[in-house]
Amino acid sequence: LAPLLASQAGETFTQFMNNRVPPDNTPEHANERTYRFVQSLEDFSAVREMRGLLESLTLGGLRNFHAHDHSLAVRKWRDRIGNCEWEHSSDCFVQAATSEST
C-alpha cells in the first residue's frame, strides 16, 4: 500500500522524497537512489500510520480484512476479467489497485 499512499499524497510525498533522495541520476548511483526511494516510502507519515493500523489488527481481523477485499474484487470484476471468480480471487483487482484519490 505504500506506493498507493505516496502517489495519492502527490506533492507532499514528492517534497518529502526530494529531501532524502540525491538528485544525481547517473547509473552508478541508481542503487543508492532506489534504496533511498524505498526508505522514503517506508518513512512517509501516511505509510507509517497505515502500517501501525494494520499491525494493530489481530490475525483474525487481518484475515477478515483481506477476505473482504477479495470479495469486493470478485463482485466488481468477475464479469470483466477472465478467471476472476470466487475460486480464483487473486486474479481480480483488489481495492488498493482501484482506489481513487480522495
Side-chain angles (χ1 to χ4, degrees):
L1 291 175
L4 176 66
L5 292 171
S7 69
Q8 289 182 343
E11 191 62 31
T12 304
F13 177 73
T14 301
Q15 290 172 355
F16 177 76
M17 185 188 70
N18 285 342
N19 292 329
R20 303 171 56 115
V21 178
D24 185 356
N25 286 327
T26 59
E28 56 268 9
H29 293 107
N31 286 342
E32 178 67 17
R33 288 180 53 77
T34 302
Y35 173 80
R36 289 192 186 195
F37 172 73
V38 171
Q39 203 61 44
S40 295
L41 283 174
E42 293 175 357
D43 292 342
F44 190 56
S45 60
V47 173
R48 282 197 326 263
E49 182 179 349
M50 177 62 76
R51 183 176 178 152
L53 291 170
L54 291 172
E55 287 177 343
S56 72
L57 292 173
T58 63
L59 180 58
L62 186 59
R63 286 181 174 156
N64 285 338
F65 182 75
H66 184 73
H68 177 73
D69 199 23
H70 279 271
S71 294
L72 287 175
V74 171
R75 276 182 266 159
K76 182 173 183 174
W77 298 104
R78 69 177 162 210
D79 296 328
R80 295 186 260 176
I81 298 176
N83 214 31
C84 176
E85 305 165 355
W86 293 110
E87 298 81 22
H88 303 283
S89 64
S90 61
D91 292 337
C92 308
F93 294 121
V94 293
Q95 184 63 39
T98 61
S99 294
E100 294 183 25
S101 295
T102 57

